[in-house]
Amino acid sequence: MYFCVMNERMQGIVTVFVDIDDTLWWFTENSKLALRYVFDANGLERMCAYEQFRDVYLEKNHELWDQYHHGLIEKDFLVNERFRYTLSTCGFEGDVEGMCRRLNEEYLSYLASLPTTLPGARELLEYLVAKGYDVNTLSNGFKGTQQQKLASGGLDDLIHRNVLSDDCGITKPQRGIFDYALEQCEAEASTSVMIGDNPDADIKGAHDAGWRTIYFNIKGKAPIEGTADAVVVSLDEVKQIL
């Protein structure tokens, strides 16, 4: 019954926008592998245990991304601060700024090369394309890495346009990036839907811009009230809605 109701609310959809990180490409799992790689490659075991390094970084990175989403900090600050804070907290002795630059470059390069996608990601994109939807990605991720992630995950051939906050200088959930995405894809808000895992950046942002929304609740966090037209816990369930 739930999906039947949602199907009615999804009538008339022409354009599908999908978030990349933790919606199509499994950022959470791939980032842990990339962190382990840079930790080992730079001999940081002399500083602390990997588990401490990982936990401090992940918590700080989440905090900084939340601030970045809302335009409170700049990209360059995010990129530097997440490793600077982690190194300082974990007791690194030496050129912190130099090590930050090195870790970030190696981390992003290795991260983007990793292939792990969310279960059902390619199958969902194939389904949407076969159904005739115009399928695009909409991401706050960095230019130069997001397209590589899609390629590494074997998904890029199914994406029409890859719309990034880096291209317009506006991040989700701000209204401007959603309007920009519509312009780039020659789409209309009334016939567009956003699929994403972030209840604020993806779902509330799209809802406030007049789009319909499908919240991918992979992390067990309730959507913001009144913003999700549908909630799924697997990508396969989206096929029952669109």
Side-chain angles (χ1 to χ4, degrees), residues 6-7 10 17 28 40 67 85 88 99 104 110 114 136 138 184 219 233:
M6 290 304 109
N7 272 325
M10 293 298 165
F17 291 90
T28 296
D40 291 342
Q67 294 173 4
Y85 178 86
S88 297
M99 182 58 76
N104 183 66
Y110 188 76
L114 296 174
N136 309 276
L138 179 56
Q184 293 299 302
K219 298 172 183 174
V233 295

Side-chain angles (χ1 to χ4, degrees), residues 154-205:
L155 305 175
D156 57 326
D157 61 310
L158 296 166
I159 302 299
H160 181 200
R161 292 184 184 274
N162 185 25
V163 183
L164 300 174
S165 59
D166 266 0
D167 293 329
C168 63
I170 309 169
T171 53
K172 299 179 291 183
Q174 299 175 76
R175 172 66 181 264
I177 190 173
F178 293 96
D179 293 341
Y180 174 78
L182 295 179
E183 293 174 3
Q184 293 299 302
C185 299
E186 299 181 344
E188 299 291 336
S190 61
T191 58
S192 296
V193 64
M194 180 75 205
I195 304 171
D197 71 293
N198 189 305
D200 182 21
D202 295 321
I203 304 308
K204 186 176 187 303

Side-chain angles (χ1 to χ4, degrees), residues 8 19 23 44-45 58 61 92 99 106 115 127 135 169 196 199 214:
E8 293 177 2
D19 177 52
T23 301
L44 296 180
E45 72 278 357
L58 291 176
N61 189 54
F92 179 78
M99 182 58 76
E106 293 178 0
Y127 167 84
V135 182
I214 299 175

Side-chain angles (χ1 to χ4, degrees), residues 25-35 107 110-111 114-117 149:
W25 187 84
W26 210 339
F27 174 81
T28 296
E29 296 305 311
N30 288 325
S31 65
K32 292 175 184 177
L33 294 176
L35 283 174
Y107 169 78
Y110 188 76
L111 179 70
L114 296 174
T116 305
T117 58
K149 289 176 183 178

Side-chain angles (χ1 to χ4, degrees), residues 12-175:
I13 292 296
V14 174
T15 310
V16 178
F17 291 90
V18 191
D19 177 52
I20 296 176
D21 291 321
D22 281 338
T23 301
L24 293 175
W25 187 84
W26 210 339
F27 174 81
T28 296
E29 296 305 311
N30 288 325
S31 65
K32 292 175 184 177
L33 294 176
L35 283 174
R36 182 84 225 198
Y37 171 79
V38 298
F39 181 87
D40 291 342
N42 290 280
L44 296 180
E45 72 278 357
R46 298 189 298 270
M47 175 182 71
C48 68
Y50 167 69
E51 289 73 17
Q52 180 186 1
F53 176 81
R54 177 198 64 201
D55 292 347
V56 171
Y57 174 88
L58 291 176
E59 181 177 356
K60 190 63 177 179
N61 189 54
H62 178 78
E63 172 191 320
L64 290 168
W65 269 102
D66 187 60
Q67 294 173 4
Y68 180 64
H69 288 327
H70 290 275
L72 300 177
I73 60 174
E74 298 293 329
K75 170 185 171 180
D76 289 346
F77 180 79
L78 184 159
V79 166
N80 183 70
E81 180 64 12
R82 58 187 180 180
F83 280 115
R84 188 209 64 78
Y85 178 86
T86 301
L87 290 169
S88 297
T89 300
C90 293
F92 179 78
E93 296 180 357
D95 180 6
V96 173
E97 295 302 320
M99 182 58 76
C100 282
R101 290 191 294 271
R102 180 173 177 175
L103 290 178
N104 183 66
E105 181 179 340
E106 293 178 0
Y107 169 78
L108 288 177
S109 177
Y110 188 76
L111 179 70
S113 73
L114 296 174
T116 305
T117 58
L118 272 294
R122 182 168 179 86
E123 292 79 4
L124 172 59
L125 294 178
E126 289 175 336
Y127 167 84
L128 293 173
V129 170
K131 290 280 285 186
Y133 292 109
D134 180 21
V135 182
N136 309 276
T137 55
L138 179 56
S139 172
N140 281 351
F142 302 146
K143 192 172 185 176
T145 61
Q146 295 305 81
Q147 187 63 32
Q148 182 58 48
K149 289 176 183 178
L150 293 172
S152 297
L155 305 175
D156 57 326
D157 61 310
L158 296 166
I159 302 299
H160 181 200
R161 292 184 184 274
N162 185 25
V163 183
L164 300 174
S165 59
D166 266 0
D167 293 329
C168 63
I170 309 169
T171 53
K172 299 179 291 183
Q174 299 175 76
R175 172 66 181 264

